[in-house]
Amino acid sequence: MDYYYEYENLDNSEDIGEIDISSEDYYEYSGYLTAESFKDICYTCAVPSTTQIGRYIIVVLSCSLMYHLLRSLLENAWPSKESLHHLSSMVCGFVTLYLSLSYDWLIVLLLCLLAYTLILIISYYKSPHEGMGVAIFTIAIQLACEYFMKHLEWQKVRGVQMVATMKTISFAFDFGAKDTGERSTVKLPDLLSYLGYVFCPTTCMLGPWMPYSLYNQKQRTSLKNLHWLLWTFTNVTLAVVFLNLSNCFIPWLRSDDLLWLRIYLDALAVRCSHYFISFLSQATVVVGGVPSQKPDYLLGYKITQPLNIEFPRSLHSLVRCWNIPMHQWLKKYMFRKLQIAYGSYFVSLLFTYVISALLHGFHAKVHLVLLSLAGFTYIENSLRSTLAHVYDSCLEVNDCNRRCTYTHCPRRRKWSSDTLLVRFINLMFSNLAILNLAYLGVMMSDNSISNEIHKYEDLWKWHRLNYIGHFINLIMYIFYLSI
């Protein structure tokens, strides 16, 4: 799942009238550490932070391991009774959620029961729009809960509900009507199977989304293969490192002398909080025995690729690597369905980003970032595809492969003058993607102003930068139209 709320400051409402958003101190961090040495940061921030999160890590990993052991035991003892597998998944998931959220998670269970009831009703009437109907219903219910529930209460379960919503929608599409309008020949799983899938302890707390077929796959990663210990250790270590980078070391490195350095570090801190969640999620997936077709040697199951995000070839590749399972979910169940319905790449892309924004709830920052990202990726893809075909060069948003048909291909002609120019242009687009990443990411950071202080607080962050990211992409679009 995406992790956007690391920097929310919910307790500064009393200071609203004392802040001038037009002052030069706008980008000053409130509460950020001002320790004088690296040693001070380690003792005052990193050690307490690691100790605190260590308890949570032990809980989620223990529940995933308990589920893996229990499922393996049941499969060996009663291999034909799948209901026991689903029951063990559901019970272990309930325990995980109770230990982490107390009784607050029960609202998620209630919403899932309502969603499954709707799936049964639509399935009974054999409607060809089962998947889209369930998608509209679950997202609408999620938004209604966020609107009517207390903010702090909803934030506790927001991530859990988001993952449950994605699983429910994919479940409805997989067992509903096909793209041809025909009904699926696979029997709709019962309520126990559905709840076991949604509340599987390896993914119910932190994600990621995984399809029902992967959850129900009998072939699991064996605990006898000690590779899972290496994967778990590596993922947990990286998760803790990124947590401390986000909370302690990046704020400590932050300088007030250079505006764009401050902006880049602000956005980097937000990205590191996302990496923390992603690597911890990878650890729970590995411990839970979820199989991977192409496991990484050091990490196993991969959810995110930080190097491809920090040094992207394009915004398109960055989006794909940000949260790989969620990208697959949006592509399979939203983008392709919309493209079949509307036949327009731009409309399908725009609505896919709108749905992604709605999944994250009523959060203006996320909506502004995702809708801007939709426009930026469309412009970049259109421009680079046109340049690639006009100049017969590898300039598209994705890396060229061995079957590349372009004349000027750096893979085939590595150091010729024309391919050096192609490499330089691709490098410029990469730098532009990094600039856009910092420009969009600063919207998600918390810079000394608590949420909702000013009517235009969120836009003011981009206003201070003269909307440079939007103007650059507007120029790129005009250039694309002129080619």
Side-chain angles (χ1 to χ4, degrees):
M1 57 172 282
D2 293 326
Y3 193 71
Y4 288 117
Y5 296 89
E6 180 73 17
Y7 293 93
E8 282 197 356
N9 186 355
L10 303 173
D11 301 316
N12 290 348
S13 58
E14 296 178 358
D15 301 329
I16 290 178
E18 301 177 6
I19 299 175
D20 178 13
I21 61 175
S22 63
S23 70
E24 291 298 323
D25 296 330
Y26 178 77
Y27 279 100
E28 293 297 326
Y29 276 74
S30 62
Y32 264 10
L33 301 173
T34 57
E36 296 180 354
S37 69
F38 180 83
K39 185 177 179 180
D40 291 334
I41 285 291
C42 291
Y43 281 107
T44 60
C45 182
V47 172
S49 179
T50 302
T51 303
Q52 183 178 10
I53 201 62
R55 301 166 187 166
Y56 177 76
I57 292 174
I58 290 173
V59 169
V60 293
L61 292 183
S62 298
C63 290
S64 292
L65 181 60
M66 178 178 66
Y67 161 68
H68 191 179
L69 292 171
L70 186 58
R71 175 162 179 165
S72 299
L73 177 65
L74 292 173
E75 285 182 347
N76 292 329
W78 299 282
S80 61
K81 295 187 177 181
E82 291 190 2
S83 59
L84 294 178
H85 311 157
H86 301 305
L87 180 62
S88 65
S89 176
M90 182 185 70
V91 172
C92 291
F94 288 172
V95 171
T96 304
L97 293 172
Y98 174 76
L99 293 176
S100 303
L101 303 173
S102 186
Y103 293 103
D104 293 324
W105 68 275
L106 290 175
I107 184 64
V108 180
L109 176 60
L110 175 61
L111 297 181
C112 288
L113 292 175
L114 289 175
Y116 188 77
T117 302
L118 178 64
I119 292 174
L120 288 177
I121 294 172
I122 298 178
S123 178
Y124 177 79
Y125 287 102
K126 299 181 180 180
S127 171
H129 308 293
E130 180 174 341
M132 197 56 66
V134 171
I136 294 172
F137 173 79
T138 52
I139 293 176
I141 289 294
Q142 179 176 311
L143 293 174
C145 287
E146 181 172 1
Y147 183 80
F148 289 106
M149 288 178 63
K150 293 181 179 179
H151 181 72
L152 289 176
E153 292 179 358
W154 177 251
Q155 288 307 307
K156 291 181 181 179
V157 299
R158 183 190 68 88
V160 177
Q161 178 56 43
M162 182 177 171
V163 176
T165 297
M166 293 173 63
K167 287 183 177 181
T168 300
I169 293 172
S170 65
F171 183 89
F173 272 115
D174 289 341
F175 297 99
K178 300 178 181 178
D179 295 335
T180 58
E182 301 176 356
R183 294 291 303 176
S184 173
T185 56
V186 181
K187 182 182 177 181
L188 179 69
D190 58 19
L191 178 61
L192 181 61
S193 303
Y194 167 74
L195 292 178
Y197 167 54
V198 172
F199 292 101
C200 179
T202 60
T203 58
C204 67
M205 271 300 299
L206 302 172
W209 166 82
M210 64 178 178
Y212 181 84
S213 58
L214 182 60
Y215 155 75
N216 204 34
Q217 189 170 320
K218 291 187 177 181
Q219 184 178 359
R220 317 288 288 182
T221 302
S222 175
L223 292 175
K224 295 180 181 178
N225 182 0
L226 296 182
H227 228 124
W228 72 274
L229 288 174
L230 171 64
W231 294 340
T232 303
F233 175 78
T234 307
N235 281 304
V236 170
T237 301
L238 289 173
V240 173
V241 167
F242 281 117
L243 174 68
N244 287 313
L245 283 174
S246 176
N247 289 347
C248 305
F249 297 109
I250 292 177
W252 176 64
L253 291 172
R254 187 176 176 276
S255 171
D256 293 328
D257 297 330
L258 300 174
L259 175 62
W260 275 101
L261 178 60
R262 302 201 321 254
I263 291 170
Y264 178 79
L265 290 176
D266 289 349
L268 179 60
V270 176
R271 296 197 298 275
C272 284
S273 68
H274 167 71
Y275 300 150
F276 157 67
I277 291 294
S278 297
F279 280 107
L280 185 54
S281 180
Q282 288 177 188
T284 61
V285 167
V286 167
V287 173
V290 177
S292 176
Q293 292 182 345
K294 296 181 180 180
D296 185 87
Y297 180 78
L298 292 176
L299 301 173
Y301 193 97
K302 295 188 75 171
I303 295 173
T304 190
Q305 296 176 322
L307 287 178
N308 291 339
I309 295 172
E310 299 302 323
F311 307 101
R313 176 183 172 88
S314 63
L315 279 177
H316 181 271
S317 63
L318 185 155
V319 169
R320 188 174 63 248
C321 297
W322 178 261
N323 188 323
I324 297 171
M326 186 170 189
H327 171 76
Q328 295 170 345
W329 182 88
L330 288 168
K331 185 176 182 179
K332 180 178 180 180
Y333 298 106
M334 296 299 146
F335 179 78
R336 288 178 176 171
K337 307 289 183 184
L338 291 167
Q339 202 164 29
I340 292 172
Y342 296 102
S344 169
Y345 172 80
F346 175 73
V347 172
S348 303
L349 181 70
L350 179 61
F351 274 98
T352 299
Y353 275 94
V354 168
I355 292 169
S356 178
L358 292 176
L359 277 172
H360 290 89
F362 291 112
H363 206 263
K365 293 179 180 180
V366 179
H367 295 178
L368 288 170
V369 168
L370 289 177
L371 293 180
S372 297
L373 190 58
F376 291 2
T377 52
Y378 173 76
I379 292 169
E380 180 192 44
N381 184 63
S382 301
L383 175 60
R384 295 185 69 167
S385 295
T386 302
L387 290 174
H389 288 90
V390 169
Y391 297 104
D392 197 15
S393 305
C394 285
L395 296 173
E396 296 198 27
V397 293
N398 294 320
D399 288 319
C400 65
N401 51 43
R402 295 178 180 178
R403 295 176 293 177
C404 178
T405 58
Y406 291 115
T407 301
H408 308 296
C409 175
R411 184 183 291 272
R412 293 197 307 270
R413 305 173 59 188
K414 293 186 177 181
W415 303 112
S416 62
S417 58
D418 54 350
T419 55
L420 286 176
L421 179 59
V422 171
R423 290 178 184 274
F424 176 76
I425 294 173
N426 283 325
L427 179 61
M428 291 299 99
F429 275 113
S430 295
N431 290 330
L432 181 60
I434 293 173
L435 185 145
N436 280 322
L437 184 63
Y439 175 75
L440 295 171
V442 74
M443 179 65 70
M444 303 310 305
S445 65
D446 180 19
N447 304 85
S448 81
I449 295 186
S450 62
N451 293 330
E452 308 302 332
I453 284 180
H454 190 275
K455 184 178 180 180
Y456 305 107
E457 176 208 339
D458 293 330
L459 284 176
W460 185 262
K461 296 178 181 180
W462 283 343
H463 175 74
R464 285 290 306 274
L465 303 175
N466 298 314
Y467 299 98
I468 186 172
H470 289 83
F471 277 116
I472 289 175
N473 281 273
L474 177 61
I475 293 171
M476 289 172 57
Y477 186 63
I478 294 173
F479 177 57
Y480 157 70
L481 293 176
S482 65
I483 299 177

